Amino acid sequence: MLKSSLLFALAFQLNAEAGAEAPGSSSRPAASRAAVTTTYDGSARQLDIVAPLLVDPDIRIDGRLDDAAWAGAALLTGFTQYDPIEGSAASENTEVRMLVTDDALYFAIRADDASGGVRATMTERDGYGRSDDYVRIILDTFNDQRRAYVFMVNPFGIQGDGLWVEGGGRGFGDPIDWSPDFLWQSNGRLDEAGYSAEVRIPIKSLRFPELEVQDWGLQIQRTIRRTGYSQSWAPISTDEANRLAQSGSIRGLERLDPGMFLEINPTVVGSRSGAFDPDLGRLSHTPAAGDVGVNLTYGLTSNLTLDGTINPDFSQIEADAGQIVVNERFAMFLPERRPFFLEGADIFKMPRQLVYTRSIGNPVGAAKVSGKIGSFNVAYLGAVDDMGVGVSNPIVNLLRVKRDLGASSTVGAVYTDRTTPGERFNRVIGTDARLVLGGRYTLEMLAAGSADGQSGSSASFGSLLRASINRSSRTLSMGGSFEDVSGSFDAGSGFIRRTGVTQARARTGYTFRGVRGALVESWSPSFELEGTWDREDFWAGRGPQESGVELGLSGSFRGNIGGFFNYSRESFDFAEGFYAPFFAGASQTSLVPVTSDASFYSGLESVRLRSWISRWERVRVSLGGSWSETPLFSSGIPVDLGESWSGDIGFTLYPTGAMQAEIGARHVSMFRQRDGSRYSTATIPRLQLRYQLSRAMYLRGIGEYASQQRGDLLDPVTGQQVFRCNDGSCTARSGSDSHDFSVEALLGYEPSPGTVFFLGYTRQFRDTSAFGFREVRPTQDGLFMKLSYRFRM
């Protein structure tokens, strides 16, 4: 069975390895406009490219750049650096040539490197952004300066792709969603003077307006990993909030027609699972089972797509890394990894997570329509969620509409509905706006209301209001936000960590920039204030529950080294009413209210450090640590006071160009401040190994151990056990002790997105003591095989 399945998968490679379309397959006659090379110097702001059109370029995508057609291509030169020294001349020479045919866009990349220090690995798709040199092609096909395709190649031509969504970024880095995978071709070659690459992007893989003649936005970026320097063809300035608005353009694209667009992606899965049987003293396995599913994508128009799935399988999705949860106040957020829900997810992005597709746990089937009609972005997702045998299945409907305003602004609306027929319903409606003012200031606003209740009875209603403003600048940055969430607000299809509060934040920072090659190339001090109120207290003019001030300092150093330092001071002042359920005593017969003096939780200090080093070719290192005075929480309420020490270390090793090892460990220890006794400890080491047998085939292994221990929650003054009482019943806030580890192994063959063969095994164990390995017991395991093929028509 395995042998025949492998042969079946390998037979698909000829059609799927690079996009399943033959170069030069023209569907309409066209005159050639590419006779003489025209140069476009980005540093001289020659940013409008007249599309050089050919009927049949006869280009072989092999990374050699020796095809005759490149002699008549548009030539993009004059790159300038934008990070860390903005506006300076590029440290290395880069040239890009571009051609257009009836069915594809072609790019030829030449990236020189005078030192011969190019970094390149044979690795997974999308997986080399922090390790390898690369070049990005950014195509804004609607030319709306809000959303663009990203096609990235490393020196070996390994692909990375995603969507650039202005306003979608959080934290460091560009606002790119790396989840979508497109069908396109690429190849690259490394040499002593640098590297070259060729790219073919089929028109069929892109969504664009239905216009006879149209212009697309174009940007090219290059990153040199050994130095951390980044450069672009169209100059980039952080004085402007919108990065896409600073792109160049391809002008005069005529009569683009993807033809019929239909993709069918059937999936066959076989599996066998086991669970520990205490009577047998070993794992007991269920009979092997098979399942069939299908994904379908149909292009309703060149800019609107219908996706559907029946019985989708997500067994190959990498497990979420273990989370330390010994003193968590609120629910943990886990990122979406499942392919069907990732496609088009950018349209659902809002200032707050009103749409969280992981709330759909196990869809029986789902359908989605997404795209752009004129100035409107639209997306609809409907699903039936399987809740298990004997439980009614909720029906989920998610609708999002977003309209472009002006050059960079948007307004939108969202509606979500999660209804279990005859039982319960939850509905949310909201409206939002993102306004770019003066090119530098970004104002975001959101207003939403929820209705939640039992079918046939009255509903409870809640509201959420949020506003923020940020100033972009290469030197002085500022921002502030205000949010008000009622206690009855319930986003059943979203993820809102905290309700019944009002929060305000303000931040400012300044960036000092040195010269390229200096020991300190840039450094940025920052200052932040924040406050959180019980909502009723805020509107009554009373003081905050929580307040804090933070001082920060970040820096970028020569040799691709960076880091930051933060010092903060926080205070917690919860009203007596919040402590009503909490009591302390030697037993349930002698309980008294817990001590809730706010002075215990004022002026709490913390220090955080983090650094990363990428100066070496074969090793990337990240280090972090913190110390803090912190409350010990129960149901989000500070009940005791402790000190926390934490640290983490991570190494990414590249022993060869085809092997990658990620080794990391995190540790947190917490001590009761009253007497210095240990409250909790958690240690999670993790190892991931990946070996790339070829561009399409790899082996991956993951091992993770999670040891987490937590003691009893005690009164901060008396040291007696804390109980939580509700309706006359009291439960001790007792500790917990768990020591689990797991191993995963996967053989993967992925010649192109959607065409895959997977053979995987996972096994989970329980240890009786932290890292004891003396009485280890398996708890469950699973073996699966998956085969799918992506047919494109």
Side-chain angles (χ1 to χ4, degrees):
M1 174 67 178
L2 174 60
K3 181 177 179 181
S4 62
S5 297
L6 281 170
L7 291 174
F8 181 45
L10 289 169
F12 293 147
Q13 186 165 11
L14 291 177
N15 188 44
E17 173 81 41
E21 295 192 9
S25 54
S26 179
S27 60
R28 62 178 175 86
S32 174
R33 291 206 307 257
V36 180
T37 298
T38 302
T39 301
Y40 299 89
D41 187 333
S43 63
R45 307 205 67 82
Q46 299 170 358
L47 303 178
D48 292 331
I49 303 169
V50 177
L53 180 65
L54 290 183
V55 174
D56 185 354
D58 192 25
I59 294 175
R60 182 179 179 85
I61 305 300
D62 55 12
R64 295 184 182 276
L65 312 190
D66 56 358
D67 302 284
W70 291 125
L75 176 62
L76 281 59
T77 65
F79 283 64
T80 53
Q81 189 175 123
Y82 65 90
D83 188 48
I85 311 301
E86 185 179 295
S88 63
S91 61
E92 302 289 348
N93 184 61
T94 308
E95 293 184 349
V96 176
R97 295 174 185 267
M98 190 206 74
L99 288 170
V100 181
T101 69
D102 291 344
D103 61 356
L105 276 70
Y106 290 80
F107 294 88
I109 298 162
R110 180 60 206 174
D112 294 333
D113 193 303
S115 71
V118 173
R119 296 186 183 178
T121 55
M122 188 69 70
T123 186
E124 64 182 315
R125 188 189 194 97
D126 298 336
Y128 54 83
R130 294 188 297 178
S131 62
D132 291 12
D133 286 47
Y134 60 79
V135 173
R136 289 178 189 164
I137 300 166
I138 302 172
L139 284 175
D140 182 359
T141 56
F142 286 90
N143 203 26
D144 59 11
Q145 304 172 2
R146 293 164 177 84
R147 181 179 182 270
Y149 292 92
V150 178
F151 299 94
M152 182 170 77
V153 289
N154 80 349
F156 291 144
I158 304 299
Q159 296 181 356
D161 47 11
L163 288 172
W164 183 298
V165 183
E166 283 294 332
R170 293 291 184 267
F172 297 103
D174 294 322
I176 300 175
D177 179 0
W178 294 107
S179 306
D181 290 324
F182 309 109
L183 289 177
W184 50 293
Q185 293 173 285
S186 64
N187 215 330
R189 292 181 178 271
L190 189 62
D191 55 58
E192 293 182 356
Y195 63 95
S196 58
E198 288 179 307
V199 171
R200 177 180 181 270
I201 303 171
I203 297 294
K204 197 180 283 280
S205 292
L206 304 171
R207 305 279 79 81
F208 48 86
E210 291 188 292
L211 299 173
E212 282 294 310
V213 181
Q214 52 192 289
D215 303 332
W216 290 0
L218 174 67
Q219 177 66 284
I220 311 290
Q221 296 177 342
R222 176 186 176 186
T223 289
I224 302 161
R225 185 47 60 197
R226 76 176 185 282
T227 60
Y229 295 164
S230 294
Q231 58 194 47
S232 62
W233 168 63
I236 292 173
S237 172
T238 50
D239 281 335
E240 293 187 46
N242 190 327
R243 189 76 65 85
L244 290 180
Q246 303 174 58
S247 302
S249 63
I250 310 171
R251 297 197 176 275
L253 293 166
E254 299 180 20
R255 300 185 302 278
L256 298 176
D257 182 8
M260 178 184 178
F261 179 76
L262 175 63
E263 291 183 348
I264 303 173
N265 189 197
T267 300
V268 179
V269 178
S271 63
R272 185 170 183 258
S273 61
F276 184 77
D277 187 329
D279 295 329
L280 299 175
R282 59 178 174 80
L283 293 174
S284 175
H285 291 89
T286 60
D291 213 350
V292 177
V294 64
N295 301 316
L296 182 145
T297 301
Y298 177 66
L300 300 172
T301 65
S302 66
N303 55 350
L304 198 62
T305 303
L306 169 66
D307 293 276
T309 184
I310 299 173
N311 197 25
D313 174 73
F314 307 119
S315 56
Q316 83 283 1
I317 304 302
E318 181 182 325
D320 297 303
Q323 304 287 331
I324 293 177
V325 293
V326 292
N327 193 42
E328 289 298 318
R329 295 184 67 185
F330 310 112
M332 301 294 295
F333 178 84
L334 298 173
E336 181 63 87
R337 298 176 183 271
R338 301 168 295 176
F340 175 81
F341 293 106
L342 291 171
E343 298 289 341
D346 61 287
I347 301 178
F348 286 107
K349 289 184 183 295
M350 303 182 71
R352 296 292 270 137
Q353 197 94 25
L354 297 183
V355 174
Y356 179 53
T357 52
R358 282 193 73 144
S359 63
I360 306 172
N362 185 27
V364 177
K368 178 169 52 180
V369 177
S370 61
K372 188 163 188 177
I373 304 172
S375 59
F376 288 89
N377 285 279
V378 296
Y380 164 78
L381 191 155
V384 177
D385 200 4
D386 186 357
M387 302 301 291
V389 178
V391 181
S392 298
N393 294 336
I395 300 172
V396 180
N397 290 283
L398 310 174
L399 176 65
R400 172 78 163 137
V401 179
K402 189 165 57 173
R403 187 184 191 281
D404 298 344
L405 283 180
S408 303
S409 302
T410 58
V411 294
V414 66
Y415 173 77
T416 74
D417 182 350
R418 183 180 178 92
T419 298
T420 304
E423 296 182 16
R424 188 174 185 83
F425 66 89
N426 175 272
R427 299 179 184 116
V428 173
I429 187 168
T431 182
D432 66 305
R434 181 176 185 269
L435 307 177
V436 179
L437 309 173
R440 173 171 291 183
Y441 295 90
T442 303
L443 174 64
E444 292 187 330
M445 296 175 289
L446 170 66
S450 69
D452 185 85
Q454 300 290 335
S455 298
S457 63
S458 60
S460 61
F461 297 92
S463 64
L464 182 151
L465 298 172
R466 177 180 172 82
S468 67
I469 187 166
N470 291 280
R471 179 184 190 269
S472 299
S473 171
R474 65 189 308 269
T475 52
L476 178 64
S477 61
M478 294 183 293
S481 66
F482 173 84
E483 181 171 292
D484 181 80
V485 189
S486 68
S488 55
F489 184 79
D490 186 354
S493 298
F495 186 89
I496 305 296
R497 265 203 179 92
R498 198 171 180 184
T499 61
V501 296
T502 301
Q503 296 175 301
R505 291 185 175 88
R507 183 186 183 280
T508 185
Y510 196 91
T511 300
F512 298 88
R513 301 182 186 272
V515 297
R516 189 164 64 203
L519 176 62
V520 181
E521 294 182 320
S522 68
W523 61 282
S524 304
S526 62
F527 175 74
E528 183 172 340
L529 287 170
E530 63 176 308
T532 300
W533 287 259
D534 173 75
R535 186 170 183 261
E536 292 182 1
D537 288 346
F538 176 83
W539 294 110
R542 292 187 283 269
Q545 278 184 359
E546 305 168 39
S547 58
V549 59
E550 181 178 288
L551 301 175
L553 179 65
S554 62
S556 176
F557 304 91
R558 182 176 60 218
N560 203 6
I561 300 173
F564 66 79
F565 166 85
N566 290 85
Y567 168 80
S568 64
R569 189 176 178 89
E570 296 179 281
S571 294
F572 297 81
D573 185 7
F574 281 71
E576 290 288 336
F578 285 93
Y579 290 88
F582 297 100
F583 295 83
S587 67
Q588 293 194 32
T589 60
S590 58
L591 296 180
V592 297
V594 299
T595 305
S596 58
D597 189 339
S599 63
F600 286 115
Y601 314 108
S602 63
L604 306 185
E605 298 178 298
S606 66
V607 175
R608 290 187 299 143
L609 295 162
R610 175 158 294 283
S611 65
W612 50 91
I613 307 171
S614 299
R615 65 177 303 170
W616 303 297
E617 181 178 1
R618 299 296 182 186
V619 181
R620 186 180 189 274
V621 182
S622 64
L623 300 165
S626 68
W627 167 85
S628 66
E629 298 175 294
T630 180
L632 307 181
F633 294 99
S634 179
S635 303
I637 307 299
V639 176
D640 199 354
L641 187 59
E643 290 188 4
S644 173
W645 294 85
S646 70
D648 64 84
I649 185 169
F651 296 93
T652 305
L653 310 177
Y654 306 92
T656 70
M659 179 179 288
Q660 177 178 315
E662 296 181 13
I663 306 169
R666 292 174 292 149
H667 177 83
V668 177
S669 287
M670 302 183 71
F671 303 88
R672 298 181 180 90
Q673 198 173 77
R674 176 176 53 83
D675 58 6
S677 61
R678 186 185 298 272
Y679 170 67
S680 68
T681 182
T683 305
I684 301 183
R686 180 180 173 91
L687 169 65
Q688 177 171 312
L689 299 173
R690 183 184 178 101
Y691 186 76
Q692 205 75 25
L693 300 168
S694 68
R695 286 186 62 170
M697 185 174 287
Y698 63 89
L699 287 168
R700 186 186 75 198
I702 299 174
E704 180 179 279
Y705 193 110
S707 172
Q708 304 196 55
Q709 299 170 279
R710 183 178 61 197
D712 297 342
L713 196 60
L714 306 179
D715 186 282
V717 174
T718 66
Q720 294 183 316
Q721 172 76 57
V722 170
F723 293 78
R724 181 180 175 89
C725 300
N726 187 24
D727 296 330
S729 175
C730 297
T731 305
R733 303 284 87 181
S734 301
S736 60
D737 191 342
S738 65
H739 313 284
D740 304 305
F741 66 97
S742 62
V743 293
E744 299 179 22
L746 179 70
L747 168 66
Y749 174 74
E750 299 182 79
S752 64
T755 297
V756 300
F757 171 81
F758 291 120
L759 180 64
Y761 178 76
T762 181
R763 192 177 180 100
Q764 297 180 355
F765 302 85
R766 180 157 296 163
D767 205 350
T768 55
S769 61
F771 303 98
F773 296 107
R774 287 186 295 273
E775 297 181 35
V776 175
R777 186 187 76 188
T779 56
Q780 55 184 338
D781 72 347
L783 174 70
F784 81 94
M785 183 179 69
K786 175 177 178 178
L787 183 65
S788 70
Y789 182 70
R790 186 174 180 178
F791 295 91
R792 170 176 280 192
M793 304 174 192

